[in-house]
């Protein structure tokens, strides 16, 4: 029934098979290709703290959902001053220009971008599952990778440009931010890093 519940909803494919979730949260596991990425290309990138960022919204009809690039640059630049980390920019192949725009503005504002890795268009969704799962925190626009991160049990910060309660997840390790200031986003990341919100603790 409407409104849809993104945490415990029934997927159309399951409903067609007569299967109901009955309130069970959606859970994903890393596929074989994702595991191969983790033990291969992902393992070559050293760094204790790994954060994923899915700016997304590369199709014209989804552009209104895209977080402000300048605000993201300010947020992650300030975060880098507080916590050394590796930043993985995810997305589909057609979203690479958005990631390149972020990296370009980041370099202009903060200089070094050696910790930023554009992994957009890396392969199938099973590869993306491995990338997301390797992160301690995943930050995303309202998009598919946001829902994948929640289902994988990764602490997730979802960025919305306008309230959209039907797309909110209710899991304990998810934080919804609507047009956050850079300071608010950094503070939310720090709340996860402080240990008060831990990976997979609330799913």
């Amino acid at each position: 029934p409407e409104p849809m519940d993104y945490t415990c909803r029934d997927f159309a494919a399951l409903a067609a098979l007569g299967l109901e979730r009955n309130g069970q949260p959606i859970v994903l596991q890393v596929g074989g290709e994702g595991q191969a990425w983790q033990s291969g290309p992902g393992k070559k990138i050293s760094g204790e703290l790994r954060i994923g960022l899915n700016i997304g919204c590369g199709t014209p009809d989804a552009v209104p959902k895209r977080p402000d690039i300048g605000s993201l640059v300010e947020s992650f630049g300030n975060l880098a001053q507080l916590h050394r980390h590796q930043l993985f920019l995810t997305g589909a192949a057609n979203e690479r220009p958005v990631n390149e725009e972020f990296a370009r503005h980041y370099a202009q504002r903060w200089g070094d971008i050696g910790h930023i890795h554009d992994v957009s268009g890396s392969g199938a969704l099973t590869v993306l599952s491995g990338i997301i799962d390797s992160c301690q925190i995943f930050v995303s626009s309202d998009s598919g990778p946001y829902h994948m991160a929640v289902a994988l049990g990764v602490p997730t910060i979802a960025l919305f440009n306008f309230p959209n309660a039907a797309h909110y997840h209710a899991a304990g390790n998810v934080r919804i931010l609507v047009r956050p200031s850079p300071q608010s986003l950094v503070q939310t990341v720090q709340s996860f890093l402080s240990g008060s919100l831990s990976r997979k603790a609330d799913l």
Side-chain angles (χ1 to χ4, degrees):
E2 297 290 345
M4 297 179 72
D5 180 346
Y6 265 53
T7 300
C8 303
R9 72 181 230 188
D10 296 326
F11 281 114
L14 294 177
L17 296 172
L19 301 175
E20 301 295 336
R21 300 198 71 86
N22 295 320
Q24 178 167 338
I26 299 165
V27 177
L28 291 180
Q29 294 181 332
V30 179
E33 291 176 306
Q35 294 173 352
W37 183 90
Q38 290 178 341
S39 61
K43 193 173 183 179
K44 295 177 182 178
I45 300 174
S46 60
E48 197 168 304
L49 176 60
R50 300 160 72 99
I51 299 176
L53 173 60
N54 187 78
I55 303 172
C57 307
T59 56
D61 61 330
V63 168
K65 294 183 177 182
R66 184 187 302 164
D68 178 70
I69 295 292
S71 182
L72 289 177
V73 166
E74 200 65 23
S75 298
F76 282 92
N78 281 306
L79 182 63
Q81 309 305 306
L82 298 171
H83 304 280
R84 292 173 58 90
H85 64 274
Q86 301 297 321
L87 183 62
F88 292 85
L89 304 180
T90 64
N94 69 320
E95 292 168 336
R96 186 168 293 138
V98 178
N99 290 348
E100 292 172 346
E101 180 184 358
F102 170 85
R104 184 172 63 255
H105 284 282
Y106 191 102
Q108 292 171 351
R109 172 68 175 89
W110 299 100
D112 181 36
I113 58 171
H115 66 295
I116 297 177
H117 313 279
D118 187 354
V119 292
S120 57
S122 295
L125 289 177
T126 52
V127 176
L128 179 58
S129 72
I131 295 171
I132 294 174
D133 182 72
S134 75
C135 297
Q136 279 75 44
I137 300 171
F138 194 74
V139 181
S140 179
S141 61
D142 179 16
S143 57
Y146 151 50
H147 305 298
M148 289 178 66
V150 175
L152 285 163
V154 176
T156 303
I157 300 172
L159 305 178
F160 287 78
N161 282 343
F162 44 83
N164 191 353
H167 289 200
Y168 298 168
H169 282 280
N173 62 349
V174 178
R175 289 295 176 269
I176 305 295
L177 300 180
V178 179
R179 297 188 69 84
S181 66
Q183 181 183 21
S184 177
L185 178 52
V186 171
Q187 288 175 340
T188 305
V189 171
Q190 288 185 296
S191 72
F192 283 117
L193 297 178
S194 70
S196 59
L197 297 168
S198 60
R199 178 182 172 90
K200 301 185 180 179
D202 299 293
L203 286 180

